[in-house]
Amino acid sequence: MRRLTALLLVAGLVLTAGCSGISVSGDRIEFDAGQTVVDEAAAADAGYELQESRTEELNETVSPAGREMQIVVRNHVAVYEKTGGPEGMAAASVGVVTMPDASVAGRNLNPVASMNETELLQQFAGDTGGSLEFERQERYTVRTLGGEANVTVYRATSDGDQPDAYVHLLRDSPSGSDDAVLAYAMYPVQAEEIERDNVEEMLSSLVYSAPDDS
């Protein structure tokens, strides 16, 4: 009876988060995100191709209400690239990460969801072979995911031989969902005239599918 009470309490703490992609089985709670992708036609028009679509699984053990529970969080990642860079590298890239609201007792257990913008930039745009510094340039708004979302633009400067780049960063929640969406785009400063419009179109075309639909 004590074990059942503890499990019901834990389940109650979780389900109050309102996330639709939750399953509870014994001492294991799973949070599944939906999927967010760039509209196929918009990506093709911009010259980008889907390079990777995957699910990232994160595991953590917590003990709310004195009961040890295994928490499994699954994020969905989609990465698009435009070829033509040096030595076969991408000339530009756009990535979209969909994250569940993995909250237990008021604590979000998804490390990506709790990162600040600087940490997110280092996580997703920092793998260029050199240390990057990010300088905020501007902010604009796009209509996407059933509402309006702010996009922050940074200029990335490398201490290596990589050219300066612009990075666009969007954080939003789809209308009617507790999932969080992070979208980012990166391209060389010299490509601003072409890629700025492409990126805005792709960010405006994001399509979300709930966990049950995906």
Side-chain angles (χ1 to χ4, degrees):
M1 182 66 179
R2 183 179 300 171
R3 180 178 184 275
L4 176 60
T5 301
L7 290 177
L8 289 174
L9 178 58
V10 171
L13 290 171
V14 173
L15 295 175
T16 54
C19 177
S20 58
I22 292 177
S23 62
V24 181
S25 176
D27 295 336
R28 180 184 176 95
I29 304 177
E30 301 181 4
F31 296 84
D32 288 289
Q35 297 184 14
T36 307
V37 298
V38 175
D39 176 77
E40 289 185 12
D45 288 345
Y48 287 72
E49 293 184 358
L50 178 64
Q51 296 296 317
E52 189 173 13
S53 178
R54 69 180 188 273
T55 298
E56 292 185 343
E57 184 172 295
L58 310 172
N59 292 272
E60 186 168 349
T61 299
V62 298
S63 301
R67 184 72 192 183
E68 188 172 279
M69 302 290 295
Q70 181 184 5
I71 307 297
V72 179
V73 179
R74 297 186 182 94
N75 299 330
H76 181 263
V77 181
V79 179
Y80 302 79
E81 292 183 351
K82 173 179 282 190
T83 59
E87 299 179 0
M89 295 178 61
S93 61
V94 172
V96 189
V97 183
T98 312
M99 302 164 283
D101 179 14
S103 298
V104 175
R107 175 190 171 198
N108 196 313
L109 300 176
N110 192 328
V112 179
S114 61
M115 290 180 180
N116 60 39
E117 290 201 347
T118 300
E119 292 170 332
L120 289 170
L121 290 167
Q122 292 290 354
Q123 174 79 13
F124 296 106
D127 187 18
T128 62
S131 177
L132 288 179
E133 293 187 2
F134 298 95
E135 180 181 357
R136 182 171 171 172
Q137 301 289 298
E138 60 172 303
R139 175 174 287 188
Y140 64 91
T141 302
V142 295
R143 292 199 59 82
T144 191
L145 298 173
E148 291 190 345
N150 292 323
V151 181
T152 307
V153 182
Y154 291 84
R155 183 167 181 145
T157 303
S158 172
D159 61 3
D161 57 0
Q162 297 294 326
D164 286 8
Y166 285 126
V167 183
H168 296 232
L169 188 65
L170 176 154
R171 299 179 77 172
D172 196 27
S173 291
S175 178
S177 170
D178 290 314
D179 281 353
V181 173
L182 166 71
Y184 60 95
M186 187 172 185
Y187 56 83
V189 168
Q190 293 85 345
E192 166 75 358
E193 185 174 345
I194 297 174
E195 296 305 332
R196 172 63 179 255
D197 289 342
N198 287 335
V199 165
E200 290 191 26
E201 288 295 327
M202 293 176 71
L203 295 180
S204 297
S205 77
L206 296 178
V207 180
Y208 170 78
S209 299
D212 292 341
D213 298 333
S214 55

